[in-house]
Amino acid sequence: MTETSPQIWSFSIPGSLPSLNQYTQACRSDARVGARLKRQVEAIVKVAAATQCPPAFSGPVFLTFAWHESSRRRDLDNVAFAKKFVLDALVALGVLPDDGRRYVTGFADEFHLDRRDPRVVVTIERRP
C-alpha cells in the first residue's frame, strides 16, 4: 500500500446478492450454471468497486459487510455467504492481493432492513 492510500475505504454494491441457497440450487442444476452465477455476481461487484476509485491494499485488512436487505425473508447466514463472491472479485480487481489469512484478518457482518434501497456496503480497513 502506498503512503497516499487510505487506511479505510468503502464501496456500495446495489441490490441483493445471491444467497447460499440460490447458489447451491444453481450448482445442483448444473455445475456450469453455478459457475456462471458466480462470474455474473463477481462482475457486478467489480463494476461497483471500480466506479468508486478502489485503492490497492497490500497488507492485512479487516472487512465489514453491511447487508441492507429489502425484507427479512432470507436467513442471515445465507445472505452473508455472498461475501465469498465479494472477496474473490476484490482479488481479481487488484484491491486485495489475496483473500487468505495473510491478507484478510477477519470480517464482520451487519444486517439492516431497507425496503427501498437494498445494497451491500463493504468497508475495508488496513490493519497493522
Side-chain angles (χ1 to χ4, degrees):
M1 176 178 267
T2 64
E3 295 205 18
T4 59
S5 296
Q7 295 288 321
I8 188 168
W9 177 69
S10 292
F11 72 100
S12 182
I13 306 161
S16 295
L17 299 180
S19 69
L20 174 58
N21 290 343
Q22 291 168 303
Y23 180 64
T24 301
Q25 183 179 11
C27 289
R28 285 182 180 163
S29 70
D30 186 321
R32 292 172 293 193
V33 174
R36 186 178 328 120
L37 175 64
K38 184 177 186 296
R39 280 193 309 273
Q40 290 170 340
V41 174
E42 288 180 14
I44 291 167
V45 174
K46 287 180 198 175
V47 168
T51 61
Q52 297 175 53
C53 302
F57 290 89
S58 61
V61 298
F62 184 89
L63 292 96
T64 302
F65 296 86
W67 308 94
H68 298 262
E69 290 282 296
S70 61
S71 73
R72 289 187 165 96
R73 293 185 65 205
R74 303 193 309 167
D75 292 343
L76 302 182
D77 57 340
N78 278 317
V79 170
F81 160 78
K83 72 173 55 107
K84 173 66 179 158
F85 301 134
V86 175
L87 289 168
D88 288 350
L90 291 173
V91 170
L93 195 58
V95 175
L96 301 176
D98 189 45
D99 60 355
R101 289 183 180 215
R102 180 175 178 191
Y103 298 103
V104 177
T105 62
F107 37 77
D109 294 296
E110 302 172 356
F111 300 92
H112 308 277
L113 179 65
D114 190 336
R115 296 184 194 285
R116 294 183 182 187
D117 186 19
R119 65 198 178 283
V120 182
V121 179
V122 181
T123 302
I124 304 173
E125 298 177 63
R126 191 173 99 174
R127 290 289 165 104

